[in-house]
Amino acid sequence: MLNSSLTSQEITQKLNRILLKVEKPGRYVGGEYNQVNKNWDSVTTHIALAFPDIYDIGLSNLGLAILYDIINKQPDMLAERVYHPWKDMEDLMRRGDIPLYALESKQPVRNFDILGITLPYETLYTNALNLLDLAGIPVHASERTMDNPLVIAGGHACFNPEPMAPFIDAFVIGEGEEIILEIAKAHQEWKSSSSPKSDLLKKLTGIWGVYVPSFYNPVYLSDGTVGSLQPTIEDAPVIIQKRIVPVLPPPPTNFLVPSINIVHNRITVEIMRGCTRGCRFCHAGMVNRPVRERPVEEIVDAIDKAIASTGYEEVGLLSLSSSDYRRIVELVEKVRDQFVNKKLTIALPSLRIESFSLDLLESLKGSRQGGFTLAPEAASEKMRNTINKPISSEQLLSVTREIYERGWQTIKLYFMIGLPEETDEDVLAISELCKQVMKIGHQVMGRRASLNVSVGTFVPKPHTPFQWVAVNSPDQIQEKQELLRKTMKGPGIKFNWTDPNETKLEALLSRGDRRLGDVIYSAWKSGAKFDAWHESDHSEIWLQAFKENNIDPDFYAYRVRGENETFPWDIINAGVSKNFLWREYQNSQKELITGDCRQTCHACGIIPSISQLVKYEDTEEWFCPVKEKETEG
């Protein structure tokens, strides 16, 4: 374990001796424009916000930017940032006995009161363990003392917290804007009382949206499935209800401006949270309900302030489906007109073909033009009905023609393979549809037209209608990818796909139970990290880790679940009922469409007391029209 007793001055001195030996030293020095620097001794609570991947990716994470802004506005708190070092820097840190430190103050992470780790996807699990070890913090929660930071985790992967339960003190389930301050206040009260750490954890169980896994014991049935998660203390809730923010707070505007190139160099403003479409594969669309929109005026004002404070020339209007934002055309026109002299690029990273319109295309023409991204997901009518994405090939071809005709040279299309009930014909339909799109592109603008096709592999996720299905095996995936490689040919087409081993690992971790904690630990000890990176194939390490712990990975990946099976994540109420999800799974097998719930309530189970807080601006129209009714049948 590294020497976490070093002072910030000693860490700085050691850094000065190694930084010129690593790739991109700018990842490790901080000092960015808009960085918040508070006096360490002037605040009560010190919070380290960690993203367990490299700086280039983590700095673009909007969730961390939101929490950084909220916490640092509190006079008695500070938030500083931590990212996972790349391999060259980690080697030098371990050799030089330099613990993981926060960029702002260079304080060792171990000196903070709270360490908050964001887990947006499961393939960051080994990096999270490595981050704890680099910080000199015991990896297992049971081995930490009062002298260690409170380790919390949040993010979409935490909707099934059980695989990481042995390593995390408390999980934040849902949205963090309010809950992070409540956790910090609870920590302040506990710290002033000098009571044992168990008292802090008990206090946290009383906060809406907090799951403390050490207060629950899993019970397994004879067939290896989970029977239940039994609370071990009286006050531990039987079900953890996800946390939502009824009204989205003002977005951050003082974005950090990096001194090196990162994944997304732009302003990001979340215009809408949640989705009403009900795609059956989509975890985010299910767990982020109900829908909440920001007013146009608030978004434009935020962009204005962010441009002034950063100098960025691109803005991303973020949501799960930007074209479903009810005033999207008005918003784009206002942004375009107000910032016309700044030559601002407007990025809409998530557009739906169903809600795409010529008005939206026309409103975007005034901004600098790059590529255009659409996500049809499936190419055959059967698969579209199965996943509940009812668009036609004619719609897609019409939209792509309009895009090319208005000057966009590159279109990017997202598809998935490995979906339930998929055949080779459904896979080949992807190639055929892409060729038709490219033919239109060449007709409109000749060889300047290009098409980037990204084909991911479906992974069944918790809290979705497909949580009962099995994932395709690597051999099945490779066969489907080979079909596409042979047929997805032609000038202007670029084809990308997902490593089948990555798909299998994600499937194992996303639907695992607490027993997988031992597997994650063994894999990490054997060198697995950066599992989300294509260059890091640790499939043999993971297979060995399963073998060492006498756990069959096929049990988690390739087994179809029964209707009444208890899932490890059933302790989490994501707001959408299991009855509704099962009904949607049955509808998928019948290829039945469930319409947009903006038009018709399908009784998904969103708690009325929550949904009634969410109104569409000043009208009487509810975003989530759920009434107090039964969700069975």
Side-chain angles (χ1 to χ4, degrees):
M1 191 165 283
L2 299 180
N3 182 9
S4 54
S5 64
L6 292 177
T7 65
S8 58
Q9 291 82 4
E10 290 169 331
I11 288 176
T12 300
Q13 290 169 3
K14 289 197 170 199
L15 286 175
N16 289 337
R17 293 196 287 269
I18 66 170
L19 282 175
L20 294 181
K21 301 177 182 179
V22 301
E23 178 188 0
K24 297 186 180 180
R27 291 168 169 163
Y28 311 110
V29 296
E32 301 94 340
Y33 191 69
N34 287 332
Q35 174 180 288
V36 178
N37 294 291
K38 286 191 174 184
N39 184 294
W40 181 271
D41 297 322
S42 68
V43 300
T44 306
T45 304
H46 311 90
I47 303 174
L49 297 175
F51 191 90
D53 210 325
I54 61 172
Y55 174 95
D56 316 41
I57 298 171
L59 193 70
S60 302
N61 184 266
L62 181 59
L64 252 64
I66 290 171
L67 296 181
Y68 187 79
D69 179 64
I70 288 172
I71 295 167
N72 280 318
K73 285 178 178 175
Q74 312 305 310
D76 57 347
M77 302 177 193
L78 67 75
E80 299 189 358
R81 295 165 296 125
V82 183
Y83 307 101
H84 194 294
W86 186 239
K87 299 169 187 178
D88 57 350
M89 182 63 170
E90 180 187 344
D91 291 343
L92 289 173
M93 289 173 68
R94 290 193 183 275
R95 277 191 271 159
D97 203 24
I98 303 172
L100 194 67
Y101 58 90
L103 292 185
E104 282 78 0
S105 65
K106 307 301 184 293
Q107 284 280 352
V109 170
R110 195 181 189 278
N111 289 355
F112 284 76
D113 298 295
I114 300 172
L115 170 61
I117 303 174
T118 186
L119 294 173
Y121 38 91
E122 296 83 3
T123 44
L124 289 177
Y125 287 169
T126 51
N127 270 27
L129 269 58
N130 204 49
L131 187 145
L132 288 167
D133 187 63
L134 280 169
I137 299 170
V139 169
H140 285 92
S142 60
E143 297 175 5
R144 294 183 202 127
T145 68
M146 292 176 63
D147 296 329
N148 297 125
L150 172 71
V151 178
I152 63 175
H156 275 192
C158 296
F159 277 91
N160 177 18
E162 285 303 285
M164 286 293 283
F167 316 111
I168 304 299
D169 293 321
F171 289 92
V172 171
I173 308 299
E175 299 166 2
E177 287 97 333
E178 297 173 344
I179 199 170
I180 187 63
L181 300 182
E182 294 174 21
I183 291 173
K185 293 293 185 184
H187 189 281
Q188 290 174 351
E189 293 173 8
W190 165 78
K191 191 175 180 180
S192 64
S193 71
S194 300
S195 59
K197 185 177 180 179
S198 59
D199 285 359
L200 170 61
L201 297 179
K202 288 176 183 176
K203 186 183 289 288
L204 294 180
T205 64
I207 298 176
W208 169 24
V210 173
Y211 172 53
V212 180
S214 60
F215 291 146
Y216 299 82
N217 281 336
V219 176
Y220 301 103
L221 303 179
S222 58
D223 62 359
T225 62
V226 174
S228 62
L229 276 170
Q230 294 291 334
T232 59
I233 64 169
E234 186 178 347
D235 294 333
V238 176
I239 296 293
I240 310 299
Q241 170 64 46
K242 76 166 181 182
R243 185 67 173 263
I244 74 155
V245 181
V247 179
L248 300 182
T253 56
N254 290 328
F255 291 95
L256 291 157
V257 181
S259 49
I260 65 168
N261 195 37
I262 63 172
V263 173
H264 295 300
N265 275 306
R266 67 187 184 196
I267 298 160
T268 303
V269 180
E270 185 185 27
I271 62 174
M272 180 175 78
R273 190 172 297 178
C275 183
T276 59
R277 293 288 181 171
C279 295
R280 293 173 179 135
F281 60 85
C282 185
H283 177 260
M286 294 293 167
V287 303
N288 283 318
R289 298 182 180 200
V291 167
R292 287 141 291 164
E293 293 189 358
R294 279 199 168 97
V296 167
E297 296 72 24
E298 181 177 87
I299 297 168
V300 174
D301 181 61
I303 293 170
D304 189 32
K305 291 176 180 175
I307 290 173
S309 69
T310 64
Y312 278 129
E313 296 181 332
E314 180 177 349
V315 58
L317 303 178
L318 188 67
S319 79
L320 291 175
S321 177
S322 299
S323 52
D324 280 343
Y325 178 76
R326 297 195 179 202
R327 297 168 64 186
I328 186 63
V329 173
E330 177 190 351
L331 172 61
V332 171
E333 288 176 347
K334 284 195 174 183
V335 172
R336 182 197 63 195
D337 295 344
Q338 183 160 332
F339 305 107
V340 62
N341 295 327
K342 298 184 183 295
K343 298 182 178 179
L344 189 67
T345 299
I346 303 171
L348 295 173
S350 182
L351 294 172
R352 296 187 67 96
I353 296 164
E354 308 95 301
S355 53
F356 202 85
S357 68
L358 293 182
D359 288 341
L360 177 57
L361 264 181
E362 289 297 327
S363 66
L364 283 168
K365 280 182 65 177
S367 74
R368 295 192 316 198
Q369 297 177 25
F372 228 105
T373 301
L374 299 168
E377 310 294 359
S380 68
E381 183 179 2
K382 182 193 89 177
M383 294 315 303
R384 290 167 182 156
N385 291 342
T386 299
I387 66 175
N388 202 46
K389 199 155 188 180
I391 58 172
S392 66
S393 295
E394 289 72 23
Q395 278 180 292
L396 174 64
L397 295 174
S398 175
V399 167
T400 54
R401 176 177 291 278
E402 297 291 349
I403 293 170
Y404 282 129
E405 286 180 346
R406 282 160 176 77
W408 277 273
Q409 297 179 16
T410 301
I411 293 176
K412 185 170 185 177
L413 297 180
Y414 281 107
F415 292 95
M416 281 192 296
I417 56 173
L419 289 160
E421 313 301 328
E422 183 180 65
T423 64
D424 287 352
E425 288 72 23
D426 298 315
V427 175
L428 289 170
I430 296 173
S431 294
E432 182 58 34
L433 187 57
C434 290
K435 289 177 183 177
Q436 293 179 52
V437 171
M438 198 68 263
K439 182 179 179 181
I440 290 171
H442 288 153
Q443 289 173 350
V444 173
M445 55 173 48
R447 291 192 171 273
R448 289 180 300 148
S450 65
L451 178 65
N452 294 341
V453 184
S454 182
V455 180
T457 305
F458 163 72
V459 175
K461 292 287 186 175
H463 307 289
T464 70
F466 289 152
Q467 62 185 348
W468 283 273
V469 308
V471 73
N472 276 192
S473 70
D475 288 344
Q476 290 174 307
I477 296 167
Q478 287 174 340
E479 288 173 5
K480 293 175 181 181
Q481 289 174 342
E482 187 59 31
L483 278 177
L484 291 173
R485 276 193 289 268
K486 287 179 179 177
T487 56
M488 188 89 68
K489 293 179 179 178
I493 298 179
K494 182 179 179 182
F495 172 40
N496 298 302
W497 59 90
T498 306
D499 185 329
N501 288 326
E502 289 179 29
T503 298
K504 181 176 180 179
L505 178 59
E506 185 181 343
L508 290 169
L509 297 177
S510 65
R511 293 193 298 174
D513 52 48
R514 197 172 296 197
R515 290 171 292 194
L516 259 61
D518 292 335
V519 177
I520 296 167
Y521 183 77
S522 295
W524 167 68
K525 290 291 285 185
S526 297
K529 57 188 173 185
F530 289 106
D531 291 303
W533 289 66
H534 299 304
E535 316 76 316
S536 302
D537 183 3
H538 299 122
S539 51
E540 291 302 318
I541 290 177
W542 280 98
L543 286 175
Q544 183 60 33
F546 274 95
K547 189 178 296 184
E548 286 175 10
N549 292 280
N550 297 313
I551 294 176
D552 179 10
D554 292 0
F555 177 80
Y556 296 96
Y558 307 132
R559 181 175 59 85
V560 176
R561 276 63 168 169
E563 176 183 358
N564 298 316
E565 179 173 333
T566 297
F567 297 133
W569 54 89
D570 280 352
I571 193 170
I572 305 300
N573 183 350
V576 178
S577 76
K578 200 171 180 180
N579 289 326
F580 169 78
L581 296 175
W582 176 258
R583 192 165 71 245
E584 278 298 282
Y585 177 37
Q586 299 304 298
N587 286 342
S588 76
Q589 295 180 312
K590 300 171 187 174
E591 298 176 31
L592 296 177
I593 292 297
T594 300
D596 186 338
C597 65
R598 286 183 192 262
Q599 276 75 52
T600 305
C601 174
H602 304 291
C604 72
I606 288 291
I607 296 176
S609 61
I610 293 176
S611 59
Q612 287 172 7
L613 293 172
V614 186
K615 256 185 169 181
Y616 177 60
E617 296 187 1
D618 295 323
T619 74
E620 292 303 314
E621 182 177 7
W622 300 107
F623 264 48
C624 179
V626 176
K627 308 301 178 186
E628 202 156 355
K629 62 169 77 172
E630 294 293 325
T631 59
E632 272 77 3

